[in-house]
Amino acid sequence: MSDKKPVLAGFIVALPLVSILALLFSYIEHKDSQVSITFAKSIIFGVPISYLFFLPFLLADRLHLVFWQSYVSGLLLLVVGYFLHRTIMIAIG
């Protein structure tokens, strides 16, 4: 699908299906609303931070990056994003 309809494929991949299922299974497993709420908060902050991975792809033309440069740069930005996420989650409790 990503070859013939990349816009549609991107939208489908972006759907939070995994997050929806993970929250449900987390609650079923722990039966603790607070754990699930903390988990949901982590997802809320994690999603926009995870966009850091795509930033090099967005800027690839301007920075003259090829796929692998964009990919590796995105992974490195995710490492930075992890520490940012951790700091935010500690700050909000």
Side-chain angles (χ1 to χ4, degrees):
M1 180 180 275
S2 65
D3 183 36
K4 295 185 184 212
K5 297 190 180 209
V7 173
L8 176 59
F11 178 76
I12 291 170
V13 169
L15 292 174
L17 298 175
V18 172
S19 297
I20 291 167
L21 290 173
L23 280 167
L24 175 64
F25 291 143
S26 172
Y27 181 75
I28 289 170
E29 179 179 346
H30 301 291
K31 303 277 193 271
D32 184 341
S33 291
Q34 194 55 47
V35 168
S36 296
I37 289 168
T38 301
F39 185 32
K41 288 178 184 178
S42 178
I43 293 169
I44 288 169
F45 290 105
V47 167
I49 290 172
S50 71
Y51 293 162
L52 288 172
F53 173 76
F54 298 103
L55 190 59
F57 291 97
L58 183 65
L59 301 173
D61 290 338
R62 185 176 301 167
L63 300 176
H64 307 290
L65 300 175
V66 297
F67 172 80
W68 287 111
Q69 291 170 316
S70 298
Y71 190 82
V72 170
S73 298
L75 291 175
L76 293 173
L77 285 171
L78 276 180
V79 172
V80 173
Y82 165 75
F83 290 105
L84 176 61
H85 179 267
R86 191 174 76 164
T87 301
I88 291 169
M89 291 307 297
I90 290 169
I92 67 167

